[in-house]
Amino acid sequence: MKHLLSTRDLSREEAITILDVAEDMAEVADREVRKLPALRGRTVVNLFFEDSTRTRISFEAAAKRLSADVINFSAKGSSVSKGESLKDTAQTLAAIGADAVVIRHGSSGAPRVLADSGWIDAPVINAGDGTHEHPTQALLDAFTMRRRLHGAGSRGRDLDGVTVTIVGDILHSRVARSNAWLLTALGASVTFVAPATLLPIGIENWPVTVLYDLDRALAQRPDVVMMLRIQGERMHAAYFPSAREYSRLWGLDDARLAMLAADTMVMHPGPMNRGLEISAGAADSPRSTVLEQVANGVSIRMAVLYLTLSGEGGKQ
Ligand code: NCD
């Protein structure tokens, strides 16, 4: 695997390879010394043009557990805020000797531009680009589902027959996009539930079922309910009447939580708007996988860094 830009071009086999390597990495987390020498002497740059908590520290922890050196770069406080272009930034990183670049950017497609540019000859890992894709998030979500369903250490398995309902601000969600491609490649069935104003144009061409009524969707008893954050920072118009109205119609509140089967997984990529798309009761319930997702994210990112930097995993 040369780069990881999107889940759209991952085959079932490639996705399972990443999940299986992540199982190996998860075993390292249980050891007394949580470190492997695999990437000793290599430099990973975290290039974050957009805010992030979980994803940035997760990539940092992953690189460090593989003994790589990590440089954290955030656009705020860098020369990017003086107008420096992606090209100049990339060439600077190349001159420093970066071996891999993890990039989060507000513009959809920026990681692809970097990978195809020739400005830097290093694996590029997309850590979220605009409203486009967030492949490592989808991989950690799939990994979390596989572990809850089949147990830790279950290698080689896909998500055949698993039903996943993704609810909320699909329009602005790179998490929903990456999950739609990845989960269906792994054999799961994906349903989107949202108000019509929060669905992207052309949704009928996606490999998903669309429903507009959350209670009807939950009555189908999906294995997984994934709630998405209302992305206020990307909204420049009114997409729903009020926050109260949104949570009444589209929120996973305590009453809806109580209707779910005891083993339904409640997922959220974070950061959560508690009380808006998800109640505190749902976020903190035993069904919730929110903190498992964060922990599993480190294993997935270790696997992706390892596979791209060690040149294993075939393809590209
Ligand atoms: C997501 C993101 O940044 O796309 N968060 C994350 O990476 N954990 C989802 C979001 O911001 O709502």
Side-chain angles (χ1 to χ4, degrees), residues 68-136:
D69 295 316
V70 183
I71 298 176
N72 285 314
F73 172 105
S74 71
K76 270 182 213 142
S78 78
S79 291
V80 169
S81 57
K82 298 180 188 164
E84 188 164 60
S85 66
L86 185 58
K87 177 175 176 177
D88 287 325
T89 305
Q91 288 177 330
T92 302
L93 299 180
I96 283 168
D99 294 299
V101 180
V102 175
I103 178 173
R104 168 167 287 198
H105 201 286
S107 302
S108 301
R112 169 81 61 186
V113 168
L114 190 61
D116 293 345
S117 65
W119 300 326
I120 181 168
D121 178 27
V124 175
I125 299 164
N126 181 2
D129 60 331
T131 58
H132 177 228
E133 283 230 28
H134 192 354
T136 57

Short mmCIF file of all heavy atoms in Angstrom, two decimals, residues 68-136:
data_model
loop_
_atom_site.label_atom_id
_atom_site.label_comp_id
_atom_site.label_asym_id
_atom_site.label_seq_id
_atom_site.Cartn_x
_atom_site.Cartn_y
_atom_site.Cartn_z
N ALA A 68 8.71 5.53 15.66
CA ALA A 68 9.05 6.58 14.69
C ALA A 68 9.23 7.90 15.42
O ALA A 68 8.75 8.08 16.55
CB ALA A 68 7.92 6.72 13.66
N ASP A 69 9.93 8.84 14.77
CA ASP A 69 9.97 10.21 15.27
C ASP A 69 8.76 10.93 14.70
O ASP A 69 8.39 10.70 13.55
CB ASP A 69 11.25 10.91 14.82
CG ASP A 69 12.48 10.25 15.43
OD1 ASP A 69 12.43 9.96 16.64
OD2 ASP A 69 13.46 10.01 14.70
N VAL A 70 8.15 11.81 15.49
CA VAL A 70 6.91 12.47 15.07
C VAL A 70 7.10 13.98 15.09
O VAL A 70 7.60 14.53 16.07
CB VAL A 70 5.74 12.12 16.00
CG1 VAL A 70 4.44 12.75 15.50
CG2 VAL A 70 5.58 10.61 16.11
N ILE A 71 6.71 14.61 14.00
CA ILE A 71 6.68 16.07 13.96
C ILE A 71 5.22 16.49 13.81
O ILE A 71 4.54 16.05 12.88
CB ILE A 71 7.51 16.63 12.78
CG1 ILE A 71 8.97 16.24 12.94
CG2 ILE A 71 7.34 18.15 12.68
CD1 ILE A 71 9.87 16.64 11.79
N ASN A 72 4.74 17.29 14.75
CA ASN A 72 3.36 17.77 14.67
C ASN A 72 3.34 19.17 14.12
O ASN A 72 3.99 20.08 14.65
CB ASN A 72 2.72 17.78 16.06
CG ASN A 72 2.37 16.39 16.51
OD1 ASN A 72 1.80 15.62 15.75
ND2 ASN A 72 2.74 16.06 17.74
N PHE A 73 2.60 19.34 13.06
CA PHE A 73 2.51 20.63 12.39
C PHE A 73 1.05 21.02 12.36
O PHE A 73 0.22 20.25 11.88
CB PHE A 73 3.04 20.44 10.96
CG PHE A 73 2.85 21.61 10.05
CD1 PHE A 73 3.91 22.43 9.72
CD2 PHE A 73 1.60 21.87 9.50
CE1 PHE A 73 3.72 23.50 8.86
CE2 PHE A 73 1.41 22.94 8.65
CZ PHE A 73 2.47 23.76 8.32
N SER A 74 0.70 22.16 12.92
CA SER A 74 -0.68 22.61 12.74
C SER A 74 -0.65 23.98 12.07
O SER A 74 0.25 24.78 12.31
CB SER A 74 -1.43 22.63 14.06
OG SER A 74 -0.96 23.68 14.85
N ALA A 75 -1.62 24.19 11.20
CA ALA A 75 -1.60 25.39 10.35
C ALA A 75 -1.58 26.66 11.19
O ALA A 75 -0.90 27.61 10.86
CB ALA A 75 -2.79 25.37 9.41
N LYS A 76 -2.33 26.61 12.31
CA LYS A 76 -2.32 27.78 13.19
C LYS A 76 -0.92 27.92 13.78
O LYS A 76 -0.36 26.96 14.29
CB LYS A 76 -3.34 27.59 14.32
CG LYS A 76 -4.71 28.11 13.94
CD LYS A 76 -5.71 27.95 15.08
CE LYS A 76 -7.08 27.70 14.51
NZ LYS A 76 -7.86 26.74 15.28
N GLY A 77 -0.36 29.11 13.69
CA GLY A 77 0.98 29.30 14.25
C GLY A 77 2.08 28.89 13.31
O GLY A 77 3.25 28.91 13.66
N SER A 78 1.75 28.46 12.09
CA SER A 78 2.77 28.13 11.10
C SER A 78 2.74 29.17 9.98
O SER A 78 1.89 30.05 9.97
CB SER A 78 2.48 26.76 10.50
OG SER A 78 1.44 26.88 9.55
N SER A 79 3.63 29.00 9.01
CA SER A 79 3.66 29.96 7.91
C SER A 79 2.47 29.82 6.97
O SER A 79 2.28 30.65 6.09
CB SER A 79 4.96 29.82 7.12
OG SER A 79 6.03 30.27 7.92
N VAL A 80 1.66 28.76 7.17
CA VAL A 80 0.44 28.64 6.38
C VAL A 80 -0.47 29.83 6.67
O VAL A 80 -1.09 30.39 5.77
CB VAL A 80 -0.30 27.32 6.68
CG1 VAL A 80 -1.69 27.31 6.08
CG2 VAL A 80 0.52 26.15 6.13
N SER A 81 -0.48 30.26 7.94
CA SER A 81 -1.32 31.42 8.27
C SER A 81 -0.73 32.71 7.68
O SER A 81 -1.36 33.74 7.66
CB SER A 81 -1.54 31.54 9.78
OG SER A 81 -0.30 31.62 10.43
N LYS A 82 0.50 32.63 7.17
CA LYS A 82 1.07 33.78 6.44
C LYS A 82 0.84 33.62 4.95
O LYS A 82 1.37 34.38 4.14
CB LYS A 82 2.58 33.88 6.70
CG LYS A 82 2.96 34.10 8.13
CD LYS A 82 4.49 34.18 8.25
CE LYS A 82 4.93 34.22 9.70
NZ LYS A 82 6.36 33.91 9.82
N GLY A 83 0.14 32.58 4.54
CA GLY A 83 -0.21 32.41 3.13
C GLY A 83 0.65 31.40 2.40
O GLY A 83 0.59 31.29 1.18
N GLU A 84 1.48 30.65 3.10
CA GLU A 84 2.31 29.67 2.42
C GLU A 84 1.44 28.58 1.80
O GLU A 84 0.47 28.12 2.39
CB GLU A 84 3.31 29.04 3.39
CG GLU A 84 4.33 28.16 2.68
CD GLU A 84 5.55 27.83 3.55
OE1 GLU A 84 5.37 27.24 4.62
OE2 GLU A 84 6.66 28.19 3.16
N SER A 85 1.79 28.14 0.61
CA SER A 85 0.96 27.18 -0.11
C SER A 85 1.27 25.75 0.33
O SER A 85 2.30 25.48 0.95
CB SER A 85 1.23 27.29 -1.61
OG SER A 85 2.55 26.88 -1.86
N LEU A 86 0.35 24.85 -0.06
CA LEU A 86 0.56 23.42 0.22
C LEU A 86 1.86 22.96 -0.44
O LEU A 86 2.60 22.16 0.12
CB LEU A 86 -0.64 22.63 -0.31
CG LEU A 86 -0.66 21.13 -0.01
CD1 LEU A 86 -0.59 20.84 1.47
CD2 LEU A 86 -1.93 20.48 -0.61
N LYS A 87 2.15 23.48 -1.62
CA LYS A 87 3.36 23.10 -2.34
C LYS A 87 4.62 23.46 -1.53
O LYS A 87 5.51 22.62 -1.34
CB LYS A 87 3.40 23.80 -3.70
CG LYS A 87 4.66 23.51 -4.49
CD LYS A 87 4.61 24.10 -5.87
CE LYS A 87 5.93 23.86 -6.59
NZ LYS A 87 5.93 24.36 -7.96
N ASP A 88 4.69 24.69 -1.06
CA ASP A 88 5.87 25.10 -0.30
C ASP A 88 5.99 24.31 1.01
O ASP A 88 7.08 23.93 1.41
CB ASP A 88 5.82 26.61 -0.01
CG ASP A 88 6.10 27.41 -1.28
OD1 ASP A 88 6.92 26.96 -2.10
OD2 ASP A 88 5.50 28.48 -1.45
N THR A 89 4.83 24.08 1.63
CA THR A 89 4.85 23.30 2.88
C THR A 89 5.37 21.89 2.59
O THR A 89 6.23 21.37 3.31
CB THR A 89 3.43 23.24 3.48
OG1 THR A 89 2.94 24.57 3.63
CG2 THR A 89 3.43 22.56 4.84
N ALA A 90 4.86 21.28 1.52
CA ALA A 90 5.27 19.90 1.18
C ALA A 90 6.75 19.84 0.86
O ALA A 90 7.46 18.91 1.28
CB ALA A 90 4.44 19.40 0.00
N GLN A 91 7.24 20.82 0.12
CA GLN A 91 8.66 20.81 -0.24
C GLN A 91 9.55 21.00 0.99
O GLN A 91 10.63 20.43 1.08
CB GLN A 91 8.93 21.88 -1.31
CG GLN A 91 8.36 21.47 -2.66
CD GLN A 91 8.53 22.52 -3.74
OE1 GLN A 91 8.55 23.71 -3.44
NE2 GLN A 91 8.65 22.09 -4.98
N THR A 92 9.06 21.78 1.93
CA THR A 92 9.79 21.97 3.19
C THR A 92 9.88 20.64 3.94
O THR A 92 10.94 20.26 4.45
CB THR A 92 9.09 23.04 4.06
OG1 THR A 92 9.03 24.25 3.32
CG2 THR A 92 9.83 23.27 5.37
N LEU A 93 8.75 19.92 3.98
CA LEU A 93 8.74 18.62 4.67
C LEU A 93 9.67 17.64 3.99
O LEU A 93 10.37 16.86 4.65
CB LEU A 93 7.32 18.05 4.70
CG LEU A 93 6.27 18.89 5.43
CD1 LEU A 93 4.92 18.20 5.38
CD2 LEU A 93 6.69 19.14 6.87
N ALA A 94 9.70 17.67 2.64
CA ALA A 94 10.59 16.78 1.90
C ALA A 94 12.04 17.09 2.26
O ALA A 94 12.86 16.19 2.48
CB ALA A 94 10.35 16.93 0.40
N ALA A 95 12.36 18.40 2.34
CA ALA A 95 13.74 18.80 2.65
C ALA A 95 14.14 18.36 4.06
O ALA A 95 15.30 18.04 4.31
CB ALA A 95 13.87 20.32 2.49
N ILE A 96 13.17 18.33 4.95
CA ILE A 96 13.44 17.90 6.34
C ILE A 96 13.65 16.39 6.41
O ILE A 96 14.28 15.88 7.33
CB ILE A 96 12.27 18.36 7.25
CG1 ILE A 96 12.41 19.85 7.54
CG2 ILE A 96 12.21 17.57 8.54
CD1 ILE A 96 11.20 20.48 8.17
N GLY A 97 13.13 15.69 5.41
CA GLY A 97 13.29 14.23 5.39
C GLY A 97 12.11 13.47 5.96
O GLY A 97 12.30 12.43 6.60
N ALA A 98 10.90 13.98 5.74
CA ALA A 98 9.71 13.27 6.22
C ALA A 98 9.54 11.97 5.45
O ALA A 98 9.65 11.94 4.23
CB ALA A 98 8.47 14.15 6.03
N ASP A 99 9.29 10.87 6.17
CA ASP A 99 9.10 9.57 5.51
C ASP A 99 7.63 9.27 5.24
O ASP A 99 7.32 8.41 4.42
CB ASP A 99 9.70 8.46 6.38
CG ASP A 99 11.20 8.59 6.48
OD1 ASP A 99 11.87 8.52 5.43
OD2 ASP A 99 11.72 8.80 7.59
N ALA A 100 6.73 9.92 5.96
CA ALA A 100 5.30 9.75 5.73
C ALA A 100 4.59 11.02 6.17
O ALA A 100 5.04 11.69 7.10
CB ALA A 100 4.74 8.57 6.52
N VAL A 101 3.52 11.35 5.46
CA VAL A 101 2.76 12.55 5.81
C VAL A 101 1.32 12.17 6.10
O VAL A 101 0.65 11.56 5.27
CB VAL A 101 2.79 13.60 4.67
CG1 VAL A 101 1.98 14.84 5.07
CG2 VAL A 101 4.22 13.98 4.32
N VAL A 102 0.88 12.51 7.29
CA VAL A 102 -0.52 12.34 7.68
C VAL A 102 -1.16 13.70 7.53
O VAL A 102 -0.71 14.66 8.17
CB VAL A 102 -0.62 11.86 9.14
CG1 VAL A 102 -2.08 11.78 9.58
CG2 VAL A 102 0.09 10.52 9.33
N ILE A 103 -2.14 13.83 6.67
CA ILE A 103 -2.69 15.16 6.41
C ILE A 103 -4.18 15.26 6.67
O ILE A 103 -4.95 14.40 6.26
CB ILE A 103 -2.35 15.63 4.96
CG1 ILE A 103 -2.98 17.01 4.68
CG2 ILE A 103 -2.77 14.61 3.92
CD1 ILE A 103 -2.56 17.64 3.35
N ARG A 104 -4.56 16.31 7.40
CA ARG A 104 -5.97 16.69 7.53
C ARG A 104 -6.09 18.09 6.92
O ARG A 104 -5.31 18.98 7.24
CB ARG A 104 -6.39 16.72 8.99
CG ARG A 104 -7.74 17.40 9.17
CD ARG A 104 -8.34 17.18 10.53
NE ARG A 104 -8.84 15.83 10.67
CZ ARG A 104 -9.71 15.45 11.61
NH1 ARG A 104 -10.16 16.33 12.48
NH2 ARG A 104 -10.10 14.21 11.69
N HIS A 105 -7.08 18.25 6.06
CA HIS A 105 -7.20 19.51 5.33
C HIS A 105 -8.66 19.85 5.10
O HIS A 105 -9.49 18.95 4.88
CB HIS A 105 -6.47 19.37 3.98
CG HIS A 105 -6.08 20.69 3.36
ND1 HIS A 105 -7.00 21.53 2.78
CD2 HIS A 105 -4.88 21.30 3.24
CE1 HIS A 105 -6.37 22.61 2.33
NE2 HIS A 105 -5.08 22.49 2.60
N GLY A 106 -8.99 21.12 5.12
CA GLY A 106 -10.37 21.55 4.92
C GLY A 106 -10.88 21.37 3.51
O GLY A 106 -12.09 21.40 3.28
N SER A 107 -9.98 21.20 2.55
CA SER A 107 -10.42 21.05 1.16
C SER A 107 -10.47 19.59 0.77
O SER A 107 -9.48 18.86 0.91
CB SER A 107 -9.45 21.75 0.21
OG SER A 107 -9.35 23.10 0.54
N SER A 108 -11.62 19.17 0.24
CA SER A 108 -11.76 17.80 -0.25
C SER A 108 -10.75 17.60 -1.38
O SER A 108 -10.65 18.44 -2.27
CB SER A 108 -13.18 17.58 -0.79
OG SER A 108 -14.13 17.81 0.24
N GLY A 109 -9.99 16.53 -1.32
CA GLY A 109 -9.04 16.24 -2.40
C GLY A 109 -7.61 16.68 -2.13
O GLY A 109 -6.70 16.31 -2.87
N ALA A 110 -7.38 17.45 -1.06
CA ALA A 110 -6.01 17.93 -0.79
C ALA A 110 -5.01 16.78 -0.62
O ALA A 110 -3.89 16.85 -1.16
CB ALA A 110 -6.00 18.85 0.43
N PRO A 111 -5.34 15.70 0.10
CA PRO A 111 -4.37 14.60 0.22
C PRO A 111 -4.02 13.97 -1.14
O PRO A 111 -2.86 13.62 -1.38
CB PRO A 111 -5.08 13.58 1.12
CG PRO A 111 -6.10 14.37 1.87
CD PRO A 111 -6.55 15.45 0.93
N ARG A 112 -5.00 13.87 -2.01
CA ARG A 112 -4.75 13.31 -3.36
C ARG A 112 -3.79 14.23 -4.12
O ARG A 112 -2.87 13.76 -4.79
CB ARG A 112 -6.09 13.16 -4.09
CG ARG A 112 -5.98 12.86 -5.56
CD ARG A 112 -5.72 11.40 -5.87
NE ARG A 112 -6.80 10.54 -5.39
CZ ARG A 112 -6.76 9.20 -5.44
NH1 ARG A 112 -5.69 8.58 -5.91
NH2 ARG A 112 -7.77 8.49 -4.98
N VAL A 113 -4.02 15.54 -4.02
CA VAL A 113 -3.13 16.51 -4.69
C VAL A 113 -1.69 16.29 -4.20
O VAL A 113 -0.75 16.21 -4.99
CB VAL A 113 -3.59 17.97 -4.41
CG1 VAL A 113 -2.54 18.98 -4.84
CG2 VAL A 113 -4.93 18.24 -5.09
N LEU A 114 -1.54 16.17 -2.90
CA LEU A 114 -0.20 15.98 -2.31
C LEU A 114 0.43 14.67 -2.80
O LEU A 114 1.60 14.63 -3.18
CB LEU A 114 -0.33 15.98 -0.79
CG LEU A 114 0.95 16.02 0.01
CD1 LEU A 114 1.72 17.30 -0.29
CD2 LEU A 114 0.64 15.95 1.51
N ALA A 115 -0.37 13.61 -2.84
CA ALA A 115 0.16 12.30 -3.23
C ALA A 115 0.57 12.29 -4.70
O ALA A 115 1.56 11.65 -5.08
CB ALA A 115 -0.89 11.21 -2.98
N ASP A 116 -0.17 12.99 -5.55
CA ASP A 116 0.10 12.97 -6.99
C ASP A 116 1.09 14.05 -7.43
O ASP A 116 1.50 14.08 -8.58
CB ASP A 116 -1.21 13.18 -7.77
CG ASP A 116 -2.17 12.00 -7.61
OD1 ASP A 116 -1.71 10.94 -7.13
OD2 ASP A 116 -3.36 12.13 -7.94
N SER A 117 1.46 14.95 -6.51
CA SER A 117 2.16 16.17 -6.92
C SER A 117 3.61 15.97 -7.30
O SER A 117 4.14 16.71 -8.12
CB SER A 117 2.12 17.17 -5.76
OG SER A 117 2.86 16.63 -4.67
N GLY A 118 4.27 15.02 -6.66
CA GLY A 118 5.72 14.92 -6.85
C GLY A 118 6.49 15.91 -5.99
O GLY A 118 7.71 15.94 -6.02
N TRP A 119 5.79 16.72 -5.18
CA TRP A 119 6.48 17.67 -4.31
C TRP A 119 7.22 16.92 -3.21
O TRP A 119 8.21 17.39 -2.67
CB TRP A 119 5.49 18.64 -3.65
CG TRP A 119 4.71 19.47 -4.62
CD1 TRP A 119 5.16 19.95 -5.83
CD2 TRP A 119 3.35 19.91 -4.49
NE1 TRP A 119 4.15 20.66 -6.44
CE2 TRP A 119 3.04 20.66 -5.64
CE3 TRP A 119 2.37 19.76 -3.51
CZ2 TRP A 119 1.79 21.25 -5.84
CZ3 TRP A 119 1.13 20.35 -3.70
CH2 TRP A 119 0.84 21.09 -4.85
N ILE A 120 6.66 15.79 -2.84
CA ILE A 120 7.28 14.98 -1.79
C ILE A 120 7.02 13.52 -2.14
O ILE A 120 5.91 13.15 -2.53
CB ILE A 120 6.74 15.35 -0.39
CG1 ILE A 120 7.40 14.51 0.69
CG2 ILE A 120 5.22 15.26 -0.31
CD1 ILE A 120 7.15 15.00 2.11
N ASP A 121 8.09 12.70 -2.02
CA ASP A 121 7.94 11.29 -2.37
C ASP A 121 7.82 10.49 -1.07
O ASP A 121 8.79 9.93 -0.59
CB ASP A 121 9.15 10.85 -3.19
CG ASP A 121 9.06 9.37 -3.54
OD1 ASP A 121 7.93 8.86 -3.62
OD2 ASP A 121 10.12 8.73 -3.69
N ALA A 122 6.63 10.50 -0.51
CA ALA A 122 6.40 9.79 0.77
C ALA A 122 4.96 9.32 0.78
O ALA A 122 4.12 9.92 0.11
CB ALA A 122 6.65 10.74 1.94
N PRO A 123 4.67 8.25 1.52
CA PRO A 123 3.27 7.85 1.65
C PRO A 123 2.44 8.99 2.24
O PRO A 123 2.91 9.68 3.15
CB PRO A 123 3.31 6.66 2.61
CG PRO A 123 4.72 6.21 2.65
CD PRO A 123 5.57 7.37 2.27
N VAL A 124 1.25 9.17 1.69
CA VAL A 124 0.33 10.19 2.20
C VAL A 124 -0.87 9.46 2.80
O VAL A 124 -1.46 8.59 2.16
CB VAL A 124 -0.13 11.13 1.07
CG1 VAL A 124 -1.19 12.11 1.58
CG2 VAL A 124 1.07 11.89 0.48
N ILE A 125 -1.20 9.82 4.02
CA ILE A 125 -2.35 9.21 4.69
C ILE A 125 -3.37 10.30 4.97
O ILE A 125 -3.06 11.30 5.62
CB ILE A 125 -1.90 8.51 6.00
CG1 ILE A 125 -0.90 7.40 5.66
CG2 ILE A 125 -3.10 7.95 6.76
CD1 ILE A 125 -0.10 6.91 6.82
N ASN A 126 -4.57 10.08 4.46
CA ASN A 126 -5.65 11.05 4.61
C ASN A 126 -6.25 10.94 6.02
O ASN A 126 -6.83 9.92 6.37
CB ASN A 126 -6.72 10.77 3.54
CG ASN A 126 -7.87 11.74 3.60
OD1 ASN A 126 -7.88 12.65 4.42
ND2 ASN A 126 -8.85 11.55 2.72
N ALA A 127 -6.14 12.01 6.79
CA ALA A 127 -6.71 12.03 8.14
C ALA A 127 -7.99 12.87 8.17
O ALA A 127 -8.39 13.38 9.22
CB ALA A 127 -5.69 12.59 9.13
N GLY A 128 -8.64 13.00 7.01
CA GLY A 128 -9.88 13.77 6.90
C GLY A 128 -9.69 14.94 5.97
O GLY A 128 -8.89 15.83 6.25
N ASP A 129 -10.39 14.91 4.81
CA ASP A 129 -10.29 16.04 3.87
C ASP A 129 -11.68 16.59 3.57
O ASP A 129 -12.51 15.95 2.95
CB ASP A 129 -9.54 15.64 2.58
CG ASP A 129 -10.18 14.52 1.79
OD1 ASP A 129 -10.86 13.65 2.38
OD2 ASP A 129 -10.02 14.51 0.55
N GLY A 130 -11.90 17.82 4.05
CA GLY A 130 -13.17 18.50 3.81
C GLY A 130 -14.35 17.61 4.16
O GLY A 130 -14.40 17.00 5.23
N THR A 131 -15.29 17.51 3.22
CA THR A 131 -16.45 16.64 3.44
C THR A 131 -16.28 15.35 2.64
O THR A 131 -17.24 14.63 2.40
CB THR A 131 -17.75 17.34 2.99
OG1 THR A 131 -17.62 17.71 1.62
CG2 THR A 131 -18.02 18.58 3.82
N HIS A 132 -15.05 15.03 2.24
CA HIS A 132 -14.82 13.92 1.33
C HIS A 132 -14.65 12.57 2.02
O HIS A 132 -15.56 11.75 2.03
CB HIS A 132 -13.61 14.27 0.45
CG HIS A 132 -13.20 13.22 -0.51
ND1 HIS A 132 -11.89 12.82 -0.65
CD2 HIS A 132 -13.91 12.46 -1.37
CE1 HIS A 132 -11.83 11.87 -1.57
NE2 HIS A 132 -13.03 11.63 -2.03
N GLU A 133 -13.48 12.33 2.63
CA GLU A 133 -13.23 11.00 3.21
C GLU A 133 -12.40 11.08 4.50
O GLU A 133 -11.69 12.06 4.74
CB GLU A 133 -12.51 10.10 2.20
CG GLU A 133 -13.45 9.56 1.12
CD GLU A 133 -13.34 8.05 0.93
OE1 GLU A 133 -12.98 7.33 1.89
OE2 GLU A 133 -13.60 7.60 -0.20
N HIS A 134 -12.50 10.02 5.27
CA HIS A 134 -11.74 9.90 6.52
C HIS A 134 -11.48 8.39 6.69
O HIS A 134 -12.09 7.74 7.54
CB HIS A 134 -12.57 10.47 7.66
CG HIS A 134 -11.84 10.68 8.95
ND1 HIS A 134 -10.53 10.27 9.16
CD2 HIS A 134 -12.24 11.27 10.10
CE1 HIS A 134 -10.19 10.59 10.39
NE2 HIS A 134 -11.19 11.19 10.97
N PRO A 135 -10.59 7.85 5.86
CA PRO A 135 -10.47 6.39 5.79
C PRO A 135 -10.08 5.70 7.09
O PRO A 135 -10.61 4.62 7.38
CB PRO A 135 -9.42 6.15 4.69
CG PRO A 135 -8.83 7.47 4.37
CD PRO A 135 -9.78 8.52 4.81
N THR A 136 -9.17 6.29 7.88
CA THR A 136 -8.78 5.57 9.11
C THR A 136 -9.93 5.54 10.12
O THR A 136 -10.01 4.62 10.94
CB THR A 136 -7.51 6.16 9.76
OG1 THR A 136 -7.70 7.54 10.06
CG2 THR A 136 -6.29 5.98 8.87
#
